[in-house]
């Protein structure tokens, strides 16, 4: 793994309004973790919450999973880049022309020295083989994940969101630079909640993950800052032995 980045934990700020998200961010350290803003928080608060997080020094993953015609997705990704977010994402099933257009627009409109990272969702982890069959796709989800990851990389994107269970298969076929962003992480001893197929931070890193999305094990902890530092330390150890 040749990605030079020691901040590997992205804390999911899954809150219905800005004040709770900002209150949680204030308990974290932007030197240790990044944060993720998803559809619920963004639909309620818009760019304002992103700007408030930036003002606190956080790099933001804007997890809006755009999927539309190339021009529309490219323009939306361009606005995200102008907003200065660290990472934004689209659905790979929007196809090559959509992803290439998005990549071009992000390149043009990124602010500052570091371009906004553009990644793609392959197959939603909620989808099973029968769901794909209903959509006319007679294929195992993991094969479709691998196919869309290849398409994502060849369209010039920086990586994919995937489950840690899929990470090893994608890592085996992708370049070292290709970023694998994996949710469903549970440090040993934490509450599993509604997540099904989980991995510990160390297991996810060993499987080839680049960034770990962690929500409730950090935000639901009594000391979120200490919990985030503990996950990052586990990652550091695992990276050292990879
Ligand atoms: O609280 P928890 O650690 O389960 O939060 C995980 C975050 O990752 C949530 O924001 C969730 O929406 C997101 N996510 C996920 N599984 C996926 C894709 C995204 O849990 N397959």
């Amino acid at each position: 793994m040749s990605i030079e980045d020691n901040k590997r934990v992205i804390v999911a700020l899954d809150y219905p309004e800005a004040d709770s998200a900002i209150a949680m961010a204030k308990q974290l350290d932007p030197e240790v973790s990044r944060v993720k803003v998803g559809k619920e928080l963004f639909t309620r608060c818009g760019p304002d919450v992103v700007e408030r997080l930036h003002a606190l020094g956080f790099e933001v993953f804007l997890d809006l999973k755009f999927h539309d015609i190339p021009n529309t997705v490219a323009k939306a990704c361009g606005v995200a880049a102008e907003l200065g977010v660290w990472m934004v994402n689209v659905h790979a099933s929007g196809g090559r022309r959509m992803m290439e257009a998005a990549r071009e627009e992000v390149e043009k409109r990124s602010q500052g020295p570091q371009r906004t990272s553009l990644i793609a969702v392959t197959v939603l982890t909620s989808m099973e083989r029968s769901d794909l069959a209903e959509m006319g796709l007679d294929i195992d989800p993991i094969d479709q994940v691998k196919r869309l990851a290849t398409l994502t990389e060849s369209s010039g994107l920086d990586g994919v969101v995937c489950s840690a269970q899929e990470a090893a298969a994608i890592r085996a076929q992708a370049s070292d630079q290709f970023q694998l962003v994996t949710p469903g992480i549970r440090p040993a001893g934490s509450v599993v909640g509604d997540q099904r197929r989980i991995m510990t931070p160390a297991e996810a890193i060993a499987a080839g993950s680049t960034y770990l999305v962690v929500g409730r094990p950090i935000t639901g902890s009594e000391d979120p800052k200490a919990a985030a530092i503990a996950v990052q330390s586990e990652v550091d150890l695992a990276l050292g032995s990879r």
Side-chain angles (χ1 to χ4, degrees):
M1 166 61 56
S2 49
I3 291 176
E4 297 293 326
D5 186 350
N6 51 12
K7 266 197 289 184
R8 304 298 187 110
V9 180
I10 304 169
V11 181
L13 296 178
D14 292 323
Y15 294 99
E17 35 75 34
D19 287 348
S20 316
I22 296 297
M24 175 48 60
K26 284 183 173 163
Q27 296 183 63
L28 300 168
D29 181 351
E31 295 299 318
V32 175
S33 339
R34 295 181 167 98
V35 292
K36 178 170 91 71
V37 171
K39 285 187 165 103
E40 184 187 14
L41 184 59
F42 192 81
T43 302
R44 172 84 65 197
C45 311
D48 183 56
V49 71
V50 174
E51 280 159 3
R52 288 174 70 185
L53 290 165
H54 283 163
L56 292 174
F58 285 96
E59 291 175 294
V60 176
F61 170 18
L62 189 59
D63 181 19
L64 297 182
K65 302 184 179 74
F66 294 126
H67 187 179
D68 209 313
I69 57 170
N71 181 62
T72 303
V73 167
K75 293 283 157 55
C77 289
V79 174
E82 281 178 358
L83 197 54
V85 298
W86 167 71
M87 177 177 272
V88 65
N89 58 358
V90 301
H91 270 280
S93 49
R96 177 183 297 281
R97 275 184 291 120
M98 188 201 82
M99 287 194 279
E100 285 179 350
R103 162 74 205 229
E104 209 172 292
E105 203 67 19
V106 162
E107 199 123 282
K108 259 196 269 173
R109 294 165 71 175
S110 280
Q111 305 293 300
Q114 220 194 340
R115 178 177 62 75
T116 295
S117 252
L118 180 62
I119 63 167
V121 177
T122 57
V123 179
L124 292 171
T125 49
S126 52
M127 304 284 277
E128 296 174 355
R129 193 185 167 107
S130 57
D131 298 302
L132 296 185
E134 252 186 341
M135 298 194 309
L137 292 167
D138 182 20
I139 188 169
D140 262 333
I142 186 63
D143 294 324
Q144 182 69 353
V145 164
K146 289 197 286 185
R147 175 184 290 180
L148 289 177
T150 301
L151 178 64
T152 299
E153 188 164 26
S154 76
S155 301
L157 270 61
D158 302 296
V160 288
V161 184
C162 63
S163 80
Q165 275 72 21
E166 297 159 350
I170 300 174
R171 181 56 71 210
Q173 66 174 30
S175 75
D176 284 353
Q177 309 303 322
F178 199 60
Q179 300 167 9
L180 306 187
V181 179
T182 57
I185 303 298
R186 289 293 176 268
S190 62
V191 177
V192 172
D194 53 3
Q195 290 285 7
R196 290 285 139 95
R197 287 163 294 149
I198 52 164
M199 277 197 187
T200 65
E203 286 167 343
I205 291 293
S209 298
T210 316
Y211 297 107
L212 312 185
V213 175
V214 188
R216 290 158 294 179
I218 290 174
T219 58
S221 138
E222 267 183 25
D223 185 346
K225 185 172 169 176
I229 291 172
V231 176
Q232 179 63 48
S233 304
E234 190 177 335
V235 166
D236 290 338
L237 262 178
L239 282 171
S241 56
R242 189 155 87 177

